[in-house]
Amino acid sequence: MLNITFPIIQAPMAGGIITPSFAASVSNNGCLGSIAAGGLSIETLTQQIKEVQVLTSHPYAVNIFAHPRISDLSYDMKTVNAALNEIRKILNIPQVTDVALIEEPSVEEYVELCIQLHVPVVSFTFGCPDKHLVALLKDAGIKVIGTATNVAEALMIEDHCMDFVIAQGYEAGGHQGGFLKKPPIGLMSLIPQVVDAVNIPVIAAGGISDRRGIKAAAALGADYVQIGTRFLNTYESNAHPLHKESINQAAETSAVLTAAFTGKQARGIENKMMQLMTYHSIPPYPIMNQLTADIRAAAKAQNNAEFMSNWAGQNIRTAQTVSLHTLLNELTTDR
Amino acid sequence: MLNITFPIIQAPMAGGIITPSFAASVSNNGCLGSIAAGGLSIETLTQQIKEVQVLTSHPYAVNIFAHPRISDLSYDMKTVNAALNEIRKILNIPQVTDVALIEEPSVEEYVELCIQLHVPVVSFTFGCPDKHLVALLKDAGIKVIGTATNVAEALMIEDHCMDFVIAQGYEAGGHQGGFLKKPPIGLMSLIPQVVDAVNIPVIAAGGISDRRGIKAAAALGADYVQIGTRFLNTYESNAHPLHKESINQAAETSAVLTAAFTGKQARGIENKMMQLMTYHSIPPYPIMNQLTADIRAAAKAQNNAEFMSNWAGQNIRTAQTVSLHTLLNELTTDR
């Protein structure tokens, strides 16, 4: 139904990790490449989608974050910003006194763009968009994917008439993509329960790293898999070199959940930023994400891995750096 | 190597849930039944082992908790006992003013008994016993199983010359059996990383519920599976009827980790006991386990599920009550 040769989706990763040419390469090799709209301006996203379209005639996906808008959130940012100012001191970057938040494009604007540009597949995380938005996409011939971290979310996604549901497990690197604020479910338990609950195809995500994981997901009833950390840890990805290095050196117990970087639970390699923010009350996404943007940018520029968001899933020991070519060969070939 | 027909182990469950005749039935049907020594007197355990031996000539396992002894732990129990006294008021049972802890049999005593009684298989949780204890068991022809929740623990278990390692995932019902105090790992990520790290056979545990899970574990490289919740939720098990009922009615997101009952992280269905103890500092196992024993016993006697430990794994929707006969047929038959 996704018109791809192999049932493998490259997980969308925001923050510039996956370039348009990377996603197009994945699609050209029979899997589904994805780019992430998350926080991009309409102009930048337009440019990225057009770049993908020049590079591939195969299906690809655009991922949209469907969280509440900043204007719908209220939060006292003084205390958390004071803590962040301590970190800014460590990095020797300017203190922030007046926090200025930027309203990002709405889900509706991103959806409109995807329809205009005839994007073949749209996936959502952090929310379950209204039925009318899903209908707009489907009427335009676009396949729609929702992200669930439990059965209740999967049922909502099916009820909103999306075509596919991602069942994302506790193990996943980066953000937990759900929206109902429930404890995460291990993928081995999540897949069969979602498969039993819905009638739409299920895409398994979270800690799937190699052919073993792909076969296990199929045995549990999944139709597709979505893989993140392995694609991130290729020579070709735009992840910071220290991010890749830290994945290569980490134990599986070091990839922990934190809201310290973005305000949403996400799994990354434990570092000083997470430790320093442990006992602070953290504002929701996208507020915290904007508050920490200067810190993350400075950490990257200064090659200081202690204040970067080094996202990684729990299957980290099987995710050493390889070339994209080797990875795609490995994932699509039975040995 | 375990001399069983099917690669399926019935997880040991303490607290009288699994009777000797239940474990023997499992063994008689080609799987490995297990009884749990956890906290039992040497006399009671002797009686239980002899009962199993009368009922089966097939292999079975005795599980031993290998945690530090009470005499090696120090903890101020006043504050937590004050909180427990509030719960005792709710249940209308006597207040406890002088906490009297009982020294339980040591790992060495349990091991000696297993050797004396020619137990075929011994499994350990909550610790990695000294090499000399493992050697004593192996010299007596006993197969030895250790429990790991991460790669470091699995490597220790192999280094201590045990024959098998259980890779227990985050999803597991009841106690997390590890000992290095690290965040739990989802089973789908844990199995391949443990399989890659050790040369001994790997037993997958945690949220495996049916043939799908058994096949997935095999695809990930496991040699055996250990299943708990499904065996607990049979008509034949000695779990409290309200415990079974609560499993049948629960969502997968309600089976959460708590130390409120025993002082060790264990997964059970969320209830008032967990909520009331959330913000208290909790003493380690076995102290907390002894402190809450009267509460759990009263809750059972009063049919009050809010203060029982209703252990269950995250694959709870696939674990409705069935007969042991039906369960064993289902688990061992390819359809």
Side-chain angles (χ1 to χ4, degrees):
Chain A
M1 242 183 87
L2 279 172
N3 290 320
I4 50 179
T5 311
F6 306 104
I8 298 168
I9 300 171
Q10 163 250 312
M13 291 178 255
I17 290 174
I18 298 300
T19 59
S21 74
F22 188 106
S25 272
V26 173
S27 291
N28 284 333
N29 283 280
C31 302
L32 189 76
S34 311
I35 57 172
L40 295 186
S41 70
I42 293 295
E43 294 67 37
T44 308
L45 182 58
T46 303
Q47 198 188 322
Q48 291 205 3
I49 293 172
K50 289 189 171 168
E51 213 175 318
V52 174
Q53 290 175 336
V54 167
L55 296 168
T56 187
S57 54
H58 293 273
Y60 60 91
V62 171
N63 177 261
I64 298 173
F65 288 170
H67 55 82
R69 307 204 71 187
I70 282 188
S71 46
D72 296 334
L73 297 166
S74 72
Y75 196 87
D76 171 28
M77 285 160 289
K78 261 198 193 137
T79 321
V80 73
N81 191 52
L84 294 175
N85 271 334
E86 293 301 311
I87 293 170
R88 294 186 179 106
K89 262 185 217 159
I90 298 173
L91 293 171
N92 205 18
I93 57 173
Q95 297 285 294
V96 172
T97 45
D98 284 324
V99 174
L101 298 176
I102 307 153
E103 194 67 78
E104 297 165 0
S106 66
V107 179
E108 287 78 6
E109 288 173 278
Y110 285 135
V111 163
E112 204 190 309
L113 180 67
C114 290
I115 293 172
Q116 272 177 17
L117 296 182
H118 306 290
V119 167
V121 182
V122 165
S123 67
F124 291 101
T125 37
F126 300 171
C128 183
D130 289 346
K131 287 183 185 178
H132 82 271
L133 273 185
V134 177
L136 280 179
L137 287 162
K138 289 179 74 173
D139 287 350
I142 298 175
K143 302 285 178 206
V144 185
I145 304 176
T147 304
T149 56
N150 53 57
V151 171
E153 289 172 349
L155 287 169
M156 259 182 85
I157 284 164
E158 181 177 50
D159 180 59
H160 283 220
C161 304
M162 299 198 205
D163 300 302
F164 302 85
V165 59
I166 294 168
Q168 186 196 31
Y170 160 81
E171 301 88 335
H175 285 97
Q176 287 284 311
F179 44 91
L180 291 179
K181 294 199 177 160
K182 297 280 184 185
I185 307 296
L187 188 59
M188 199 125 167
S189 288
L190 184 62
I191 298 172
Q193 293 180 96
V194 169
V195 165
D196 289 347
V198 301
N199 291 309
I200 53 178
V202 173
I203 300 161
I208 296 174
S209 211
D210 53 24
R211 292 290 300 170
R212 293 177 289 187
I214 294 172
K215 285 180 184 172
L220 292 164
D223 301 285
Y224 297 87
V225 299
Q226 179 167 285
I227 296 176
T229 310
R230 290 298 307 278
F231 284 103
L232 185 152
N233 201 8
T234 54
Y235 295 106
E236 290 88 344
S237 97
N238 210 16
H240 195 284
L242 291 181
H243 186 165
K244 298 179 190 179
E245 201 169 73
S246 67
I247 291 177
N248 292 342
Q249 293 170 353
E252 78 290 2
T253 46
S254 322
V256 299
L257 288 170
T258 182
F261 290 101
T262 69
K264 260 202 180 286
Q265 290 291 323
R267 190 178 292 285
I269 297 165
E270 201 167 19
N271 62 9
K272 196 153 264 175
M273 177 78 176
M274 296 187 199
Q275 288 154 10
L276 290 174
M277 298 310 292
T278 304
Y279 299 106
H280 291 284
S281 160
I282 288 174
Y285 190 96
I287 297 177
M288 190 65 175
N289 190 49
Q290 291 198 16
L291 286 180
T292 63
D294 60 336
I295 291 171
R296 287 177 283 127
K300 282 186 183 178
Q302 297 176 17
N303 286 310
N304 186 342
E306 292 298 328
F307 297 93
M308 296 179 196
S309 52
N310 299 312
W311 304 138
Q314 286 193 322
N315 208 340
I316 198 164
R317 292 175 192 256
T318 62
Q320 298 286 302
T321 316
V322 291
S323 68
L324 179 57
H325 175 81
T326 296
L327 175 60
L328 287 166
N329 259 345
E330 183 206 316
L331 294 178
T332 59
T333 313
D334 235 334
R335 254 161 266 258
Chain B
M1 243 183 86
L2 280 172
N3 291 320
I4 50 180
T5 310
F6 306 104
I8 298 168
I9 299 171
Q10 164 251 312
M13 292 177 252
I17 289 174
I18 298 300
T19 58
S21 74
F22 188 106
S25 271
V26 173
S27 292
N28 284 334
N29 282 281
C31 302
L32 189 76
S34 310
I35 57 173
L40 295 185
S41 69
I42 293 296
E43 294 67 37
T44 308
L45 182 58
T46 303
Q47 198 188 321
Q48 292 205 2
I49 293 172
K50 289 189 171 168
E51 214 174 317
V52 175
Q53 290 175 335
V54 168
L55 296 169
T56 187
S57 54
H58 294 273
Y60 60 91
V62 171
N63 176 262
I64 298 174
F65 288 170
H67 56 82
R69 307 206 71 188
I70 282 189
S71 47
D72 295 335
L73 298 165
S74 72
Y75 196 86
D76 171 29
M77 284 161 289
K78 259 195 195 141
T79 321
V80 73
N81 192 52
L84 294 175
N85 271 335
E86 293 302 310
I87 292 171
R88 293 186 181 105
K89 261 184 217 159
I90 299 172
L91 293 170
N92 206 17
I93 57 172
Q95 297 285 293
V96 172
T97 45
D98 283 324
V99 175
L101 298 175
I102 306 152
E103 194 66 78
E104 295 164 0
S106 66
V107 180
E108 287 76 7
E109 289 172 277
Y110 285 135
V111 162
E112 203 190 310
L113 179 67
C114 290
I115 292 172
Q116 271 177 17
L117 296 182
H118 306 290
V119 167
V121 182
V122 165
S123 67
F124 291 102
T125 37
F126 301 170
C128 184
D130 288 347
K131 287 184 185 177
H132 82 272
L133 273 185
V134 178
L136 280 179
L137 286 163
K138 289 179 73 174
D139 287 350
I142 298 175
K143 302 286 179 205
V144 185
I145 303 175
T147 303
T149 56
N150 52 57
V151 171
E153 289 172 349
L155 288 169
M156 259 182 86
I157 284 164
E158 181 177 50
D159 180 60
H160 283 221
C161 304
M162 300 197 206
D163 299 302
F164 303 84
V165 59
I166 294 168
Q168 186 197 28
Y170 160 80
E171 300 89 336
H175 285 98
Q176 287 283 312
F179 44 92
L180 291 180
K181 293 196 179 163
K182 297 280 182 186
I185 307 296
L187 189 58
M188 200 126 165
S189 289
L190 184 62
I191 298 172
Q193 293 180 95
V194 169
V195 164
D196 289 348
V198 302
N199 292 308
I200 52 177
V202 173
I203 300 161
I208 297 173
S209 211
D210 54 24
R211 293 290 299 172
R212 293 176 289 187
I214 294 172
K215 284 180 184 172
L220 293 164
D223 301 285
Y224 296 88
V225 298
Q226 180 168 283
I227 296 176
T229 310
R230 290 298 309 275
F231 284 104
L232 185 152
N233 202 7
T234 54
Y235 295 107
E236 290 87 344
S237 97
N238 210 16
H240 195 284
L242 291 181
H243 186 165
K244 297 179 190 178
E245 202 169 73
S246 67
I247 291 177
N248 293 342
Q249 294 170 352
E252 78 289 2
T253 46
S254 323
V256 298
L257 288 170
T258 183
F261 290 103
T262 68
K264 260 203 180 283
Q265 290 291 324
R267 190 177 294 283
I269 298 165
E270 201 167 17
N271 63 8
K272 197 152 262 176
M273 177 80 175
M274 296 187 198
Q275 288 155 9
L276 290 174
M277 298 308 293
T278 303
Y279 299 105
H280 291 283
S281 159
I282 287 174
Y285 190 97
I287 296 177
M288 190 63 175
N289 190 49
Q290 291 198 16
L291 286 180
T292 63
D294 60 335
I295 290 171
R296 287 177 284 127
K300 282 186 184 177
Q302 298 175 18
N303 286 310
N304 186 342
E306 292 298 328
F307 297 94
M308 296 178 194
S309 52
N310 298 313
W311 304 138
Q314 285 192 322
N315 209 338
I316 198 163
R317 291 174 194 259
T318 62
Q320 299 285 302
T321 316
V322 290
S323 68
L324 179 57
H325 175 81
T326 296
L327 175 60
L328 287 166
N329 258 345
E330 182 205 315
L331 294 178
T332 60
T333 312
D334 236 332
R335 253 163 269 257

